[in-house]
């Protein structure tokens, strides 16, 4: 049989090593020609620590400098293009609802956010931008022609504490009546208290609250000697009445624009259950303001969801339009993770308007399906149009896209090439980096043979698809689902085995969530 290699090609700006089937090939990121604003031409020199060229190793896989112009494009049906997404709120909210003994609404389940909630094994670049890893394994029980392919992108970790640029953060805080429920406003106040102690003295924050109307509680203020004052304002927050998200966004962006700082990360942070019921309750009017300030002033939005009832769809729309991302917190442990452990990820940027495009070889691939990312789809022809919005990615992030791929009988040579394109957050110069994977006679089955982190990715994706109610039958792949999906009992067993081998508490939490879903279904 023909299967995708269990270890694919890794292109990174720093030296790598090969183990097993995995190939690490060093090469430069390229300044890329573009068709929209901010485009340029010419090739950049190698990234720090990179060799010139790249070339081919062992005749199996190759890495090439990207030359967007003058090459033969794949057939349109063999391209997959999407904006990068580092949201994790969907998975966090699913954990909350399952913990309460109920299944999440299928409409709130986004597989890419389940997958991106777990640590990955990708090597990271030494400089800004991305490393690209492509690997895969044969899907067990799906015949000899279905495989899972993982496209992994990673950014460099954050600099040491205190070395990041200052942040100007405007917190827009929901104090509506629904936020009086335990685990909402009380958790928001605790989260903000944790963050106030974590921020540097040169950071600035503003505090805006909203219920039926919006109010500025603290204009943009340097943290410096103001920590006690900030804590006092936070402690005075009390729940009000209805939820006028639109008014909160308008006032929050007014404060963010007035207090914006050159050379700083200017970001609005929305903390809410996103259950809008007053004023502009539809997303369109709110989105217009968010987009205007993102375009004119570079102000981005980070959404933090709370509450057992949560307006997931609205929060996602707001963050996507604001070139930001979303997460969900349900307890103090998660709040500390978001506002302490992951603070640099959530306030800094490594890349703006990042998009990925995977080109499949029609001679080797019969069909494919990207799991999730439905809300992040980009027209194939817009991949290199830098006027088209992509995703913003901070330091230390990984982005994973999982594909179900059906190979043609006897497939050989290159199966797919994945390219990521982004704008430098300071210069807005476009950059690209690519990695590819070939077909091989290596018989690498997913369970047991593939890398543990690829197996965790598969478990998370299978679980999400199960919660969405997708068909996983091999004959129904055209309508959705992953090939040869295990039942929830087997998925739980796989997750517990992986939790033991990786010693990763988050994978153990995944196993427990799968068990809770199985019991909720009766």
């Amino acid at each position: 049989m023909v299967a995708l290699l269990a270890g694919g090609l890794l292109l990174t700006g720093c030296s790598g090593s090969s183990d097993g089937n995995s190939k690490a090939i060093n090469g430069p990121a390229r300044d890329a020609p573009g068709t929209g604003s901010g485009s340029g031409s010419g090739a950049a020199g190698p990234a720090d620590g990179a060799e010139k060229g790249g070339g081919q190793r062992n005749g199996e896989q190759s890495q090439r400098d990207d030359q967007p112009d003058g090459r033969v494009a794949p057939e349109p049906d063999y391209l997959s293009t999407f904006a990068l997404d580092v949201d994790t709120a969907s998975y966090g909210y699913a954990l909350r609802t399952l913990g309460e003994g109920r299944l999440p609404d299928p409409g709130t389940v986004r597989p890419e956010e389940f997958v991106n909630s777990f640590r990955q094994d990708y090597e990271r670049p030494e400089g800004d931008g991305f490393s690209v890893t492509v690997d895969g394994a044969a899907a067990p029980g799906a015949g000899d022609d279905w495989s899972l392919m993982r496209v992994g992108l990673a950014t460099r970790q954050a600099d040491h504490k205190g070395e990041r640029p200052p942040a100007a953060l405007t917190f827009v805080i929901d104090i509506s009546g629904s936020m009086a429920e335990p685990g909402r406003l009380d958790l928001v106040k605790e989260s903000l208290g944790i963050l106030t102690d974590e921020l540097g003295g040169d950071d600035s924050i503003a505090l805006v609250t909203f219920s039926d109307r919006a109010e500025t509680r603290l204009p943009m203020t340097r943290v410096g000697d103001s920590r006690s004052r900030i804590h006092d304002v936070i402690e005075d927050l009390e729940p009000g009445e209805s939820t006028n998200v639109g008014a909160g966004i308008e006032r929050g962006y007014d404060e963010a624009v007035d207090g914006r700082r050159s050379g700083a990360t200017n970001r609005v942070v929305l903390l809410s259950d996103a259950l809008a019921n007053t004023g502009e309750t539809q997303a369109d009017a709110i989105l217009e303001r968010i987009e205007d300030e993102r375009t004119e002033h570079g102000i981005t939005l980070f959404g933090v969801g709370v509450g057992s009832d949560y307006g997931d769809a609205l929060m996602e729309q707001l963050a996507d339009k604001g070139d930001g991302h979303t997460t969900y917190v349900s307890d103090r442990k998660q709040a500390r993770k978001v506002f302490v452990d992951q603070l640099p990820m959530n306030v800094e940027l490594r890349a703006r308007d990042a998009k990925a495009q995977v080109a499949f070889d029609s001679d080797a691939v019969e069909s494919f399906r990207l799991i999730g990312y439905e809300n992040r789809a980009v027209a194939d022809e817009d991949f290199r149009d830098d006027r088209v919005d992509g995703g913003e990615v901070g330091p230390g992030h990984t982005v994973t896209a999982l594909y179900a791929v059906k190979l043609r009988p006897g497939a050989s040579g290159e199966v797919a090439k994945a390219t990521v394109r982004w704008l430098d957050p300071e210069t807005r110069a476009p950059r690209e980096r690519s990695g590819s994977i070939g077909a091989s006679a290596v018989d690498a089955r997913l369970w047991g043979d593939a890398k543990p982190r690829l197996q965790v990715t598969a478990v998370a994706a299978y679980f999400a698809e199960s919660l969405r109610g997708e068909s996983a039958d091999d004959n129904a792949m055209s309508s959705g689902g992953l090939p040869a999906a295990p039942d929830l009992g087997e998925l739980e067993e796989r997750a517990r085995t992986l939790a033991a081998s990786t010693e990763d508490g988050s994978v153990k939490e995944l196993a427990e969530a799968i068990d809770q879903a199985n019991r909720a279904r009766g």
Side-chain angles (χ1 to χ4, degrees), residues 129-170:
F130 296 88
S131 64
V132 181
T133 303
V134 191
D135 61 8
D144 291 347
D145 47 5
W146 278 107
S147 294
L148 300 182
M149 188 182 83
R150 179 178 63 158
V151 175
L153 311 172
T155 57
R156 177 171 56 88
Q157 296 283 5
D159 297 327
H160 295 299
K161 185 177 179 180
E163 294 182 4
R164 63 171 172 80
L169 307 176
T170 301

Side-chain angles (χ1 to χ4, degrees), residues 49-221:
E51 299 172 0
K52 292 183 179 179
Q56 185 170 335
R57 304 290 172 88
N58 300 330
E60 290 181 339
Q61 302 183 62
S62 63
Q63 170 264 315
R64 301 182 300 275
D65 291 342
D66 291 322
Q67 301 292 342
D69 298 334
R71 64 182 180 184
V72 178
E75 298 176 39
D77 287 347
Y78 285 84
L79 286 173
S80 172
T81 310
F82 58 94
L84 300 198
D85 187 357
V86 295
D87 292 355
T88 60
S90 175
Y91 180 66
Y93 185 49
L95 292 182
R96 168 72 179 259
T97 56
L98 290 167
E100 295 174 344
R102 56 194 178 95
L103 293 169
D105 184 327
T108 68
V109 176
R110 289 185 288 278
E112 70 275 16
E113 297 189 22
F114 278 53
V115 165
N116 284 317
S117 295
F118 296 91
R119 182 166 57 86
Q120 294 290 358
D121 53 1
Y122 313 137
E123 292 190 34
R124 297 182 184 271
E126 288 187 351
D128 291 339
F130 296 88
S131 64
V132 181
T133 303
V134 191
D135 61 8
D144 291 347
D145 47 5
W146 278 107
S147 294
L148 300 182
M149 188 182 83
R150 179 178 63 158
V151 175
L153 311 172
T155 57
R156 177 171 56 88
Q157 296 283 5
D159 297 327
H160 295 299
K161 185 177 179 180
E163 294 182 4
R164 63 171 172 80
L169 307 176
T170 301
F171 291 91
V172 179
I173 306 159
D174 186 347
I175 59 167
S176 62
S178 62
M179 292 291 287
E181 175 191 300
R184 297 194 186 194
L185 185 56
D186 58 335
L187 183 59
V188 166
K189 291 169 67 173
E190 186 168 9
S191 300
L192 288 173
I194 292 171
L195 177 67
T196 299
D197 292 333
E198 186 69 15
L199 289 172
D202 196 32
D203 293 322
S204 302
I205 70 171
L207 298 173
V208 171
T209 60
F210 68 91
S211 53
D212 57 329
R213 62 187 181 86
E215 179 181 355
T216 299
R217 299 297 185 95
L218 181 75
M220 192 65 73
T221 302

